[in-house]
Amino acid sequence: MTELVGWSLHRAREALQAREVSAVELAQAYIQAAEDGAALNAFVALTPERALDMAAGSDRRLANGEGGVLEGIPLGVKDMFCTRDIVTSAGSRILDGFVPPYESGVTENLWKAGANLLGKLNCDEFAMGWSTETGIGGPTVNPWRGRGDTRRLSAGGSSGGSAAAVAARLTPAALGTDTGGSVRQPAALTGTVGLKPSYGRCSRFGIIAYASSLDQAGVFSHTVRDAAILLGVIAGHDPRDSTSVDCPVPDYEGRLQGDISKLRVGVPRECVADGIPDEIIGLWRQAGDWLGEQGASVVEVSLPHIPHALPAYYIIALAEASSNLARYDGVRYGQRAATQAGEDVADLYGRTRASGFGTEVKRRILTGTYVLSEGYFDAYYLKAQRVRALVAQDFGSAFEKVDVLLTPTTPYAAFALGEQRDDVIAPYLGDIFTVPVNLSGLPAISVPARLNADGLPLGVQLIGRRFDEEILLNTALAFETAAGFDAEPEPWWRTPS
Amino acid sequence: MSTETCLQGESGQWEMVIGLEVHAQIRSAAKLFSGAPTDFGESPNSQVSYVDAAMPGMLPVLNRYCVEQGVRAGLGLRGQINPVSVFERKNYFYPDLPQGYQISQYQCPLVSNGEITIRPEGSPPMRVGVERLHLEQDAGKSMHEGSGSTSLVDLNRCGIALMEIVSHPDMRSAAQAQAYVRELRLLLRYLDVCDGNMEEGSLRADVNLSMRRPGGEFGTRCEIKNLNSIRFIGQAIEYEAARQVALLEAGETIRQETRLFDIHAGETRSMRSKEDAQDYRYFPDPDLPPLRLSKEWVDAIAAGLPELPEEKRGRLIRQYGLEAYDADVLVAKRSNVDFFEKVAEGRDAKLVANWVTGELFAALNKSRTSLEQSRITPQGMGALLDLIIADEISGRIAKEIFVMMFETGANPEEVVEENRWRQINDVQVLERFVDEVLDANPDKVEQSRKKPKLIGWFVAQVMKSTENRANPRYVHELFKKKLNL
Amino acid sequence: MTISREKVRQISRLARISLDEDELDSYRQDLSQILDWVSQLEKVETDSVAPFSDMGGNLFDCAREDLVEPAPSRESLLANAPEQADGFFTVPRILE
């Protein structure tokens, strides 16, 4: 059974279609792996009955030579996606026990393509975090450990559950969401591939909103090919989301060939900055060399406003979040705090939201409320949107000269759980390479590059033109080939049985 | 400055400055951002989509027809239809507002700079500027159960499309404000964008009122919220103006605030506010890209607009030679004018107007029905009037026939035939009746030489003997001739 | 920059998040730090830059027709409600 879970999604699909293995067998193998991986706390809930039921349907279709692109593939889904009749809490006490009577657009696409739901994956509360520690699910543990070090490390966040589950092979691939790096950062910290498509490429319908102008569904996988397969399934216009874009979805998988000889790759000189460790800069330069060896021309470019992207991002994200999270009031769903005699509805709101939201979420709602409030709107929100325009212009100019940009994904490798808990600003700084991408609506992918001196994975980020995931994925494939990353974490979490 | 709109205080004259914000429910089958139905009076929480209830992950999708309706209203107000408008979030907490924000338009409304000509009772028509028209969501309803500690929330109305129409502070009296709402409602009804039903809340007005010395600087204003009848608008304004004048005369200042009109007490009251001043934290809704309208689309809507009340009034006066008053009365309801014009085609328009605004409207009023519900058709009405015009029946008979038509839907021709009511216009026949009366009443003939008014008595005798079928005019002429009057 | 306790109190009321005195202090510190940090944007020259407004697209093109979709049953609408009565959501008495 453990052999099955060692496969890539692509390989598993071949095996299913060749009837080497049945969908039910595959589902059982992953259910077992997920149960064995309980120590990682990657899943907030497993849905074995749903998975086996759906897998049985897949087997019937496969036996008839039918079936979709993902027929029989079990998948884990971040708990930010609403799944019909299955508890969806976004990691928040305020939504504890919420059962959506509807299915998100992206997961609907997965099930239509034949995939089956293995379970819901842990995340930071409302996807607000870097370490998957702030949700009601408790901390997710990174399958990777430092060499000679048994400390529990963070799998990153906010989609840490998805990243850990893929890295530990508890699921062949997983869905995450990415608002400022919540797919790419955990992917980098777990040695997995993490793809955030262009804003508008996938439906946001049924995804619990954090910051609407930045949120986008994303995928975790072991290989670039798997990411391409998944993107082909989840991408597409959804009339229920007015920001999803009605443009053709290419056959990403079919067009994947890894030839980048005609491509120009830009390396932004602003990546070398104070506070970026040498090991990160060194990796980034190495990555440029690898792409050069694969035939791309690598040129330096400048994104002068990148240093300002972070504060602009936080102002905008928190402003939107303060409004998006206003609906959690304990009236129509979710948890409601008790009120005392004589208290009115305003007290109900105040108490419900005080006890239902965690500290990080409250901090962000309060900050977002502040920057939108009378007298501060222009200085914060509008100023941030002006800076956002400058950041987007920077990318626009760069993409006149190059086809893809290369940056590190994170300025760090996996850190210990609890390490970032008490600092308010420092964790923001880790998003330096990822947030400009969300501000500009671009597609980007984090691809594992190599292990650092401590034996922890590092990734690099490739950024494409908006809606040009095809070139992005081809470049990523070339990089993957050049890097030849094939390290696996020691399976310490498996309890001997 | 006309002094008739001013209030006399002890320290001199005061003038009202009034602006109105009207919320009109857009007539559409589905809500502004969801597919839920907009039917009125359904059982609680039965017309609510997951979007309306702000369930997690739900997103708004704009109803294009509601935009079309807004554009139609904007064109009717001769406003500028903005090629780009933006939906924003107005953030506040209330149980009838599930999202925690209302999607509305703020910086960039759908329509700017419109105007409307109003006709206040007893004064000449005047123009009122319309600053803007924008689209927004209605809220749900919360109800308070008697003295209980619980409130109930019904979200049926939640998300229904509204137009907010904001006037300039151009009005100076309650009558003008009432005329404004009346004319606006009429316009919206002509355009079929709002049913204008104030009792059901389809049209509500917020009144902004301040007082100033005639022609002087604007004073501090108060807003009276949610007035749902034209009568209450008048009462609230009169009360509030008197309240403000009393304060100002006493040397006090007006506090800018929101007030409610208590319809039972007939007075306005400050809304208790235990919170800090509202801070709505407007910002563009990131779920909704800007709304960009093509000129072609707007032009196509403009081309399909019906004739509007103002134009129709002018045309009725020009084309049919109607009095302004009759034109006003007819235009007040689109179906009435349509009826009038159908009947007036090829007939004496003044006669038609008299009958429509006279007998017909009186009968409708008395029976509390509308023209649509009544049994009177333009064809029937026309046939009746044709009988009058052709002198086939007298006015008196016509009125009797009209009552029968109104009550039973009778055909006037048939009624005339069945009752043998056709008027006797044959002078030779009439002469026989006249002679009969003269022969039988020599004493009256004698008296008539001194009292010419007795001719009325003679005519009445013939009418009696002909069961009202004699043409009274001819009979009158005959007597005049024979009595040498 | 340091924001006042009163400001934090006002913001927490606007956001409908009840805070006790200790929490007021702690969020006051956090917010001050965050606002300090984002104030670096003041240095960016943006006088001639229009604020970023959207990712493109036209709401008109993704608008829906005026077609009624059946509303969910009241049961499913209320299924997740913490409290309900007679088909209504219920809340503690609303004071005007």
Side-chain angles (χ1 to χ4, degrees):
Chain A
M1 289 295 244
T2 48
E3 187 202 323
L4 301 186
V5 302
W7 289 341
S8 68
L9 184 154
H10 177 248
R11 171 74 185 89
R13 192 174 63 171
E14 280 179 349
L16 284 164
Q17 275 160 4
R19 309 305 291 144
E20 282 174 53
V21 64
S22 73
V24 167
E25 284 169 327
L26 192 65
Q28 278 166 338
Y30 276 106
I31 292 165
Q32 188 64 53
E35 284 171 355
D36 290 347
L40 298 175
N41 196 32
F43 283 91
V44 286
L46 282 171
T47 52
E49 282 172 24
R50 169 80 63 111
L52 291 171
D53 194 43
M54 292 172 95
S58 289
D59 280 330
R60 282 193 297 276
R61 285 185 289 277
L62 286 164
N64 293 333
E66 299 163 359
V69 176
L70 297 176
E71 200 62 60
I73 302 288
L75 290 174
V77 171
K78 187 182 184 182
D79 205 24
M80 294 292 283
F81 292 85
C82 288
T83 41
R84 186 182 288 116
D85 300 335
I86 291 186
V87 173
T88 301
S89 302
S92 184
R93 173 169 297 121
I94 212 162
L95 267 183
D96 201 5
F98 170 66
V99 182
Y102 42 81
E103 187 75 30
S104 86
V106 160
T107 50
E108 199 170 75
N109 287 343
L110 291 179
W111 318 142
K112 271 191 209 144
N116 56 65
L117 174 65
L118 201 53
K120 300 298 286 286
L121 291 158
N122 198 12
C123 58
D124 282 301
E125 184 178 4
F126 284 109
M128 297 179 182
W130 315 263
S131 57
T132 314
E133 291 177 277
T134 65
I136 37 168
T140 286
V141 183
N142 196 327
W144 289 90
R145 290 170 165 184
R147 244 177 235 123
D149 187 349
T150 57
R151 281 187 308 162
R152 299 193 315 159
L153 302 183
S154 166
S158 65
S159 314
S162 307
V166 173
R169 298 191 180 273
L170 315 186
T171 176
L175 280 190
T177 59
D178 189 316
T179 305
S182 279
V183 164
R184 291 158 288 157
Q185 181 255 28
L189 269 48
T190 56
T192 53
V193 173
L195 170 67
K196 182 203 91 78
S198 308
Y199 186 84
R201 181 54 98 186
C202 304
S203 171
R204 291 189 300 111
F205 176 85
I207 298 177
I208 292 176
Y210 161 15
S212 310
S213 77
L214 302 158
D215 292 345
Q216 191 67 196
V219 299
F220 290 88
S221 62
H222 281 283
T223 66
V224 170
R225 177 168 300 279
D226 289 357
I229 294 170
L230 286 164
L231 179 62
V233 172
I234 66 169
H237 177 241
D238 184 344
R240 298 168 297 180
D241 170 9
S242 305
T243 63
S244 93
V245 174
D246 196 1
C247 70
V249 177
D251 176 7
Y252 297 114
E253 186 190 2
R255 299 205 186 196
L256 205 57
Q257 30 73 11
D259 177 6
I260 58 168
S261 58
K262 293 195 179 66
L263 296 188
R264 295 156 300 169
V265 174
V267 286
R269 72 170 67 101
E270 289 77 14
C271 289
V272 184
D274 287 348
I276 309 298
D278 289 346
E279 93 175 350
I280 298 297
I281 299 298
L283 170 78
W284 171 62
R285 294 199 195 284
Q286 171 73 68
D289 292 346
W290 281 336
L291 287 171
E293 286 162 22
Q294 293 287 313
S297 44
V298 179
V299 295
E300 191 177 88
V301 294
S302 177
L303 304 168
H305 295 95
I306 287 296
H308 307 298
L310 267 178
Y313 165 84
Y314 273 95
I315 289 170
I316 293 161
L318 273 42
E320 292 182 10
S322 72
S323 175
N324 281 336
L325 270 60
R327 64 185 56 196
Y328 305 105
D329 56 12
V331 175
R332 297 164 313 286
Y333 44 78
Q335 296 299 304
R336 163 183 292 204
T339 47
Q340 285 145 24
E343 290 191 322
D344 72 352
V345 72
D347 300 307
L348 172 77
Y349 287 167
R351 286 175 183 277
T352 295
R353 292 164 60 79
S355 60
F357 294 133
T359 305
E360 181 64 29
V361 171
K362 282 192 260 194
R363 187 149 56 212
R364 294 194 188 200
I365 292 175
L366 292 170
T367 309
T369 304
Y370 182 91
V371 299
L372 287 176
S373 67
E374 206 175 331
Y376 299 94
F377 178 81
D378 287 9
Y380 291 104
Y381 181 84
L382 267 192
K383 180 77 183 185
Q385 292 289 18
R386 290 182 209 279
V387 172
R388 183 181 192 173
L390 290 172
V391 171
Q393 277 170 29
D394 281 358
F395 279 114
S397 316
F399 281 122
E400 282 171 16
K401 301 186 199 90
V402 299
D403 304 294
V404 177
L405 291 164
L406 170 69
T407 74
T409 308
T410 55
Y412 48 62
F415 47 86
L417 282 168
E419 199 174 283
Q420 293 201 342
R421 202 172 287 157
D422 299 323
D423 203 316
V424 176
I425 302 297
Y428 289 2
L429 306 178
D431 294 344
I432 177 75
F433 301 119
T434 48
V435 300
V437 172
N438 300 74
L439 283 177
S440 312
L442 306 173
I445 188 166
S446 177
V447 190
R450 69 178 181 206
L451 299 182
N452 72 0
D454 297 326
L456 294 174
L458 293 173
V460 297
Q461 171 177 250
L462 295 162
I463 306 168
R465 293 189 185 95
R466 186 144 182 238
F467 297 121
D468 198 350
E469 283 86 354
E470 194 180 320
I471 282 182
L472 179 71
L473 286 162
N474 266 315
T475 313
L477 179 64
F479 179 86
E480 184 181 50
T481 307
F485 181 90
D486 58 2
E488 297 263 344
E490 285 299 319
W492 55 266
W493 58 89
R494 270 189 218 142
T495 41
S497 52
Chain B
M1 180 49 51
S2 82
T3 49
E4 69 204 51
T5 61
C6 287
L7 268 74
Q8 188 64 46
E10 283 179 17
S11 65
Q13 290 201 317
W14 294 97
E15 182 184 42
M16 299 184 203
V17 175
I18 303 169
L20 272 84
E21 291 170 22
V22 168
H23 290 89
Q25 179 181 331
I26 291 179
R27 212 186 51 70
S28 65
K31 293 181 178 178
L32 182 54
F33 291 109
S34 83
T38 57
D39 303 333
F40 179 78
E42 298 294 322
S43 61
N45 292 311
S46 64
Q47 316 275 299
V48 187
S49 76
Y50 295 129
V51 175
D52 306 324
M55 300 292 271
M58 291 297 101
L59 298 171
V61 179
L62 179 65
N63 182 334
R64 188 182 291 137
Y65 182 67
C66 293
V67 178
E68 190 179 325
Q69 292 283 58
V71 166
R72 202 169 279 133
L75 291 167
L77 289 163
R78 302 178 209 287
Q80 159 198 331
I81 309 301
N82 293 317
V84 181
S85 65
V86 176
F87 285 97
E88 305 206 23
R89 293 182 181 180
K90 179 181 183 180
N91 294 283
Y92 66 95
F93 285 91
Y94 205 75
D96 64 14
L97 187 73
Q99 292 165 143
Y101 53 84
Q102 178 196 34
I103 305 177
S104 181
Q105 296 186 304
Y106 186 54
Q107 300 272 11
C108 309
L110 183 64
V111 181
S112 308
N113 302 325
E115 61 170 42
I116 189 165
T117 302
I118 67 168
R119 12 195 93 241
E121 260 171 55
S123 41
M126 64 178 270
R127 180 197 159 281
V128 174
V130 171
E131 184 191 317
R132 56 188 279 150
L133 176 154
H134 70 250
L135 306 181
E136 63 183 29
Q137 298 175 298
D138 203 350
K141 234 166 63 182
S142 39
M143 281 145 286
H144 318 292
E145 274 185 326
S147 60
S149 58
T150 305
S151 295
L152 305 175
V153 182
D154 171 15
L155 301 179
N156 279 355
R157 285 196 72 92
C158 197
I160 285 181
L162 301 179
M163 295 176 275
E164 180 173 329
I165 301 164
V166 183
S167 83
H168 283 291
D170 288 349
M171 288 155 280
R172 300 290 174 264
S173 70
Q176 290 176 6
Q178 291 175 307
Y180 171 81
V181 175
R182 223 179 281 123
E183 191 66 27
L184 183 60
R185 181 174 63 174
L186 182 63
L187 176 71
L188 299 179
R189 281 177 169 165
Y190 264 65
L191 293 164
D192 206 15
V193 298
C194 171
D195 67 23
N197 193 333
M198 296 186 82
E199 296 87 70
E200 288 180 6
S202 302
L203 197 99
R204 284 111 75 184
D206 299 342
V207 172
N208 281 295
L209 172 69
S210 63
M211 302 302 300
R212 66 170 179 184
R213 293 298 183 186
E217 294 282 302
F218 284 169
T220 306
R221 65 194 163 91
C222 291
E223 185 179 21
I224 313 162
K225 281 268 185 206
N226 251 327
L227 296 163
N228 68 349
S229 90
I230 289 177
R231 190 159 58 93
F232 295 153
I233 290 171
Q235 290 174 358
I237 289 173
E238 298 292 358
Y239 176 88
E240 179 62 15
R243 186 189 73 90
Q244 290 190 16
V245 166
L247 283 173
L248 293 167
E249 293 270 333
E252 292 179 46
T253 52
I254 306 292
R255 197 159 60 101
Q256 185 168 345
E257 62 182 355
T258 303
R259 300 179 69 84
L260 283 178
F261 181 63
D262 181 331
I263 56 171
H264 305 295
E267 54 190 40
T268 67
R269 272 203 317 255
S270 181
M271 282 174 80
R272 263 186 307 151
S273 171
K274 58 177 194 148
E275 290 300 325
D276 320 65
Q278 283 290 8
D279 181 350
Y280 291 124
R281 291 159 285 138
Y282 279 101
F283 75 105
D285 191 328
D287 288 329
L288 299 162
L291 176 64
R292 298 180 168 93
L293 302 180
S294 72
K295 193 176 173 302
E296 293 70 37
W297 190 72
V298 174
D299 287 348
I301 295 173
L305 286 193
E307 186 180 32
L308 299 178
E310 185 60 23
E311 302 160 15
K312 205 175 278 274
R313 257 186 218 108
R315 188 172 57 78
L316 291 182
I317 293 169
R318 272 196 324 276
Q319 184 176 338
Y320 300 107
L322 297 188
E323 299 296 326
Y325 177 81
D326 284 343
D328 262 4
V329 170
L330 284 171
V331 168
K333 204 165 170 203
R334 190 169 162 182
S335 52
N336 291 352
V337 196
D338 291 348
F339 182 93
F340 164 79
E341 293 214 73
K342 274 190 200 132
V343 181
E345 201 182 331
R347 299 192 177 91
D348 173 2
K350 280 187 185 164
L351 176 75
V352 176
N354 281 339
W355 270 84
V356 171
T357 62
E359 292 302 310
L360 176 57
F361 284 5
L364 290 173
N365 273 340
K366 204 174 150 200
S367 62
R368 295 179 178 276
T369 46
S370 68
L371 193 46
E372 293 91 330
Q373 295 163 322
S374 84
R375 293 168 184 268
I376 302 289
T377 62
Q379 293 73 26
M381 194 78 198
L384 177 67
L385 297 184
D386 285 344
L387 291 168
I388 299 174
I389 292 162
D391 261 349
E392 297 281 345
I393 54 173
S394 68
R396 226 176 111 190
I397 293 283
K399 285 180 186 176
E400 258 181 73
I401 297 173
F402 176 79
V403 171
M404 296 167 79
M405 290 166 67
F406 193 83
E407 282 169 1
T408 66
N411 175 318
E413 300 271 9
E414 286 171 18
V415 173
V416 167
E417 289 309 319
E418 280 164 22
N419 294 290
R420 301 183 48 250
W421 275 350
R422 202 169 291 280
Q423 185 156 267
I424 304 166
N425 292 323
D426 187 327
V427 179
Q428 288 179 341
V429 176
L430 290 175
E431 204 165 359
R432 284 207 300 274
F433 285 103
V434 167
D435 289 342
E436 259 172 48
V437 175
L438 291 173
D439 292 347
N441 298 285
D443 50 333
K444 298 271 181 197
V445 174
E446 191 54 36
Q447 285 172 30
S448 72
R449 301 192 199 286
K450 285 177 192 152
K451 272 174 75 182
K453 278 191 180 166
L454 264 180
I455 191 165
W457 181 88
F458 284 103
V459 174
Q461 300 314 304
V462 172
M463 295 313 286
K464 203 188 277 174
S465 55
T466 60
E467 292 174 311
N468 283 321
R469 288 166 57 214
N471 183 325
R473 193 153 50 83
Y474 291 1
V475 174
H476 191 267
E477 301 269 306
L478 283 168
F479 277 119
K480 225 171 128 182
K481 206 168 80 189
K482 297 205 177 223
L483 294 170
N484 293 319
L485 294 173
Chain C
M1 82 176 247
T2 309
I3 64 171
S4 69
R5 262 173 89 89
E6 237 357 86
K7 187 72 197 173
V8 181
R9 202 189 301 275
Q10 183 199 334
I11 292 296
S12 76
R13 264 194 231 126
L14 265 182
R16 293 289 192 278
I17 295 176
S18 308
L19 298 180
D20 63 28
E21 296 302 307
D22 287 349
E23 288 170 320
L24 270 180
D25 269 337
S26 135
Y27 284 111
R28 179 180 133 179
Q29 279 175 26
D30 293 354
L31 261 63
S32 298
Q33 270 192 66
I34 295 169
L35 295 169
D36 242 353
W37 174 65
V38 300
S39 69
Q40 62 179 281
L41 289 187
E42 286 166 19
K43 291 180 301 209
V44 188
E45 170 59 48
T46 56
D47 288 352
S48 57
V49 187
F52 188 93
S53 65
D54 62 289
M55 291 280 183
N58 181 357
L59 195 55
F60 185 84
D61 297 332
C62 45
R64 67 193 319 143
E65 300 307 318
D66 186 31
L67 299 174
V68 170
E69 292 163 12
S73 73
R74 186 182 305 141
E75 288 64 41
S76 41
L77 188 75
L78 294 168
N80 278 287
E83 284 179 33
Q84 51 169 300
D86 306 327
F88 293 93
F89 298 99
T90 61
V91 294
R93 190 168 176 76
I94 300 164
L95 301 176
E96 275 169 9

